Amino acid sequence: MRYGISRRKRSSVRWFLILCAAFTFISWLLLNLRSVDAPHLTTTADGAMLDLPAQLALRELRDAFFSSSAQPPTKSPAKNCATVEEMGKVFEGKILKETRRVRSIIQRHFSINGAPRIRELPPEQFCKHGFVIGKASEAGFGNEMYKILTAAALSIMLGKYPFGDYILYSNLTFTLREVKHLWRQHGCVENYGRHLVMRIDDFEKPAKTNALCGNWRTWPQPIIWYQGTTDAVGAQFFLKNIHPDMRDAATELFGRPESLQWRPNVFGELMSILISPSRDVEEAVNWVLGGGREPDITLHMRMLMNRSIRAAQAALYCLKQATSNLQLGSRPRVVVVSDTPSFVKSIVPNISGFSEVLIFDYELFGGNVSYNTDASKNLDFRVKDWGPAPRWVAFVDFFLASRAKHAVISGAHKRVGTTYAQLIAALAAANSLGENSTSSSFSFLSSFQSNLLAEGLNLQVGWGH
Ligand SMILES: *[C@@H]1O[C@H](CO)[C@@H](O)[C@H](O)[C@H]1NC(C)=O
Ligand SMILES: *[C@@H]1O[C@H](CO)[C@@H](O)[C@H](O)[C@H]1NC(C)=O
Ligand SMILES: *[C@@H]1O[C@H](CO)[C@@H](O)[C@H](O)[C@H]1NC(C)=O
Ligand SMILES: *[C@@H]1O[C@H](CO)[C@@H](O)[C@H](O)[C@H]1NC(C)=O
Ligand SMILES: *[C@@H]1O[C@H](CO)[C@@H](O)[C@H](O)[C@H]1NC(C)=O
């Protein structure tokens, strides 16, 4: 990518502001980001991941882009960057239908395997049943939620619930405690010789995980823990499993890896059936909405305490484009959330010129959740990652942000596509897909600033942050 110094002023706007990559589909965001940026990455630490269908996706993306710019009706010069529309084009197609299909698979699965039914099984059948756990610790919200969603995607029952003060988990799930209790009550060990043992598969150790080579459907252990799956990728590894029935099961859920048109919003659909805000959190969300209509767009900025002007400009540009592309009319409602409160203060005046800005200022809110302090836990070491606000604020922001009806925009100072923003977009997209709607136009946009384009994501740590 070259930067013309002579044309600086005018093209700086273009280069600066950049590329808004439209990914209508969340479960593929990471894979595609990786592949698009793969040439910039010098590290081989994640080498094991590179042979994923992402390569195919990339090819498809390139084909779509080049074929659309290869025979231009006008004599426009060759471009180095795709526009939002061009990047998103390849994701169009069957998404709506696919998401509906997956929604009904998930509903069917839970009606058969959900806790209410399993709880009532006679001992003989109960003791034969298998469980998957998504264990929780004190990592960030996005990472923990992905652990649960991966477990849910894998077979679909949970262990200990994280964030219980702020999130309600649907009745469809078990706690490990209840499984233990029922196991004892039904005498699974005495009567059927089944010990409640757990098989752990560690996704974080690529040489050890059986995600690609094991036939998990035949594993005899009652509990499987697919450990360390902190992003959208863990569950999708099964698309590459060597056993056809594992692979087929994954394909049923995630779509055919070789075709981007078949990308259902799996994580969004899972979340919408599994989680909801606690009453306290919902009270705060409603306080922000003030009885007005639902927000149109969410802008999430992961700034890591930085107030990079470039990131702000890129995000503003992206927001303006989205507003005009979506034809939202005058003054759309825009939710702004960030890990860096001072950044929000600085960007709000620029946004409020053309939209109504909704932010959750926790210092002004006196609802019940405000009194729920995590003071006992010293989480200072997370401040750089999570921001200085009390932890519960992130839950209010999350559920507020996921109310957006049309688009979620992810902006960042040195990284893109945080797990937090992905999950917001996935849930918002699932929420916006009505029971009977015939079209869905939900967009997830990533705003890159010039540094990210020039240097790639070599400062990116992990997959999604
Ligand atoms: C769980 O089920 C009970 C009774 O069926 C219902 O009242 C309650 O709202 C449900 N809770 C959740 C989180 O779905
Ligand atoms: C913000 O990021 C820019 C670019 O990476 C860097 O030059 C600057 O020092 C950072 N500022 C702060 C306050 O971290
Ligand atoms: C926001 O508006 C102010 C005042 O017009 C301007 O100085 C600043 O550069 C704008 N910020 C961005 C990121 O465009
Ligand atoms: C807040 O707490 C009070 C006292 O416990 C309770 O009466 C009220 O219903 C709570 N409000 C919400 C929205 O949960
Ligand atoms: C969706 O369509 C079905 C069948 O036409 C109807 O019974 C149902 O009420 C509709 N749901 C909504 C939310 O409109």
Side-chain angles (χ1 to χ4, degrees):
M1 213 142 290
R2 287 182 302 111
Y3 286 76
I5 292 167
S6 52
R7 299 173 292 154
R8 185 157 22 173
K9 199 68 191 180
R10 186 164 266 225
S11 66
S12 69
V13 176
R14 211 168 89 218
W15 287 118
F16 239 8
L17 303 174
I18 340 340
L19 174 67
C20 273
F23 295 104
T24 322
F25 234 50
I26 203 72
S27 44
W28 272 81
L29 174 78
L30 271 172
L31 293 176
N32 286 298
L33 278 180
R34 292 188 61 77
S35 58
V36 169
D37 290 295
H40 303 298
L41 294 173
T42 51
T43 171
T44 55
D46 301 316
M49 320 297 185
L50 292 177
D51 68 346
L52 273 174
Q55 299 305 324
L56 280 167
L58 174 61
R59 207 175 311 140
E60 209 166 328
L61 202 61
R62 279 193 188 128
D63 290 349
F65 170 49
F66 286 121
S67 65
S68 71
S69 59
Q71 334 102 330
T74 63
K75 47 190 181 333
S76 53
K79 290 188 291 182
N80 288 332
C81 289
T83 63
V84 178
E85 293 78 8
E86 288 161 344
M87 295 280 286
K89 206 173 216 155
V90 72
F91 294 89
E92 283 172 6
K94 309 215 162 58
I95 285 172
L96 187 68
K97 198 164 147 247
E98 278 293 283
T99 298
R100 280 247 171 68
R101 186 183 61 80
V102 162
R103 183 176 283 187
S104 70
I105 289 175
I106 291 171
Q107 281 166 350
R108 199 167 59 237
H109 175 91
F110 279 113
S111 71
I112 298 168
N113 293 295
R117 186 172 165 277
I118 300 300
R119 226 176 251 135
E120 302 305 323
L121 289 177
E124 187 191 350
Q125 286 174 42
F126 177 85
C127 295
K128 279 191 200 140
H129 220 274
F131 303 87
V132 172
I133 70 165
K135 198 168 172 296
S137 58
E138 278 292 333
F141 173 81
N143 290 9
E144 289 308 314
M145 192 47 62
Y146 265 123
K147 291 180 192 174
I148 290 168
L149 295 173
T150 300
L154 182 54
S155 174
I156 317 197
M157 279 171 226
L158 313 183
K160 178 183 149 196
Y161 299 140
F163 319 125
D165 289 344
Y166 314 118
I167 290 180
L168 300 178
Y169 293 89
S170 82
N171 288 357
L172 298 166
T173 62
F174 277 119
T175 58
L176 189 55
R177 180 191 305 191
E178 186 183 359
V179 172
K180 282 181 182 163
H181 169 76
L182 291 172
W183 208 260
R184 219 176 300 119
Q185 195 181 51
H186 289 325
C188 296
V189 178
E190 299 85 344
N191 302 335
Y192 307 98
R194 288 208 86 197
H195 290 269
L196 193 58
V197 290
M198 182 190 300
R199 175 160 182 172
I200 299 175
D201 189 277
D202 193 347
F203 179 63
E204 284 170 324
K205 302 207 174 72
K208 290 203 180 134
T209 178
N210 273 297
L212 297 178
C213 301
N215 189 352
W216 295 37
R217 291 163 79 93
T218 62
W219 287 3
Q221 293 83 1
I223 301 182
I224 294 173
W225 180 14
Y226 190 21
Q227 191 180 28
T229 52
T230 54
D231 58 39
V233 179
Q236 294 185 70
F237 255 57
F238 295 105
L239 290 166
K240 286 286 186 177
N241 190 287
I242 60 168
H243 298 280
D245 54 343
M246 278 304 287
R247 212 166 50 227
D248 290 350
T251 306
E252 171 105 343
L253 199 54
F254 288 106
R256 296 205 309 266
E258 68 276 12
S259 169
L260 286 176
Q261 275 81 2
W262 298 86
R263 298 269 72 85
N265 181 9
V266 178
F267 292 106
E269 291 298 322
L270 285 173
M271 247 183 305
S272 74
I273 201 172
L274 289 178
I275 67 166
S276 54
S278 70
R279 264 185 74 189
D280 286 354
V281 168
E282 191 158 30
E283 182 192 15
V285 171
N286 291 336
W287 178 78
V288 180
L289 295 177
R293 62 193 167 86
E294 295 289 288
D296 297 296
I297 301 183
T298 283
L299 171 64
H300 173 256
M301 299 295 295
R302 173 68 149 240
M303 298 306 289
L304 298 163
M305 308 299 180
N306 195 291
R307 284 169 56 182
S308 153
I309 185 86
R310 281 183 178 155
Q313 284 170 327
L316 271 176
Y317 178 76
C318 202
L319 182 58
K320 282 181 184 153
Q321 284 291 113
T323 306
S324 85
N325 290 350
L326 293 167
Q327 303 185 318
L328 293 178
S330 61
R331 292 189 76 74
R333 297 191 107 195
V334 175
V335 170
V336 180
V337 297
S338 174
D339 58 350
T340 306
S342 58
F343 177 82
V344 173
K345 289 208 174 73
S346 71
I347 201 174
V348 161
N350 301 60
I351 299 177
S352 54
F354 59 96
S355 34
E356 180 186 351
V357 181
L358 301 170
I359 55 176
F360 178 55
D361 187 341
Y362 68 90
E363 284 168 341
L364 299 180
F365 179 67
N368 286 356
V369 67
S370 328
Y371 305 109
N372 191 332
T373 54
D374 257 349
S376 58
K377 292 185 188 133
N378 181 2
L379 294 172
D380 282 353
F381 73 104
R382 289 279 184 189
V383 165
K384 183 94 173 118
D385 196 16
W386 290 345
R391 198 169 185 201
W392 57 267
V393 175
F395 295 87
V396 177
D397 278 346
F398 180 82
F399 286 106
L400 172 64
S402 64
R403 298 277 282 264
K405 281 190 310 195
H406 301 291
V408 170
I409 297 170
S410 157
H413 151 55
K414 23 178 214 197
R415 303 160 172 189
V416 290
T418 65
T419 49
Y420 187 76
Q422 289 164 20
L423 292 170
I424 288 172
L427 181 55
N431 288 343
S432 78
L433 178 61
E435 205 53 43
N436 294 335
S437 58
T438 50
S439 68
S440 166
S441 59
F442 203 89
S443 307
F444 182 28
L445 308 167
S446 226
S447 75
F448 291 66
Q449 70 269 23
S450 55
N451 286 359
L452 287 176
L453 271 189
E455 296 155 22
L457 298 178
N458 56 4
L459 294 176
Q460 175 124 357
V461 178
W463 290 75
H465 299 275

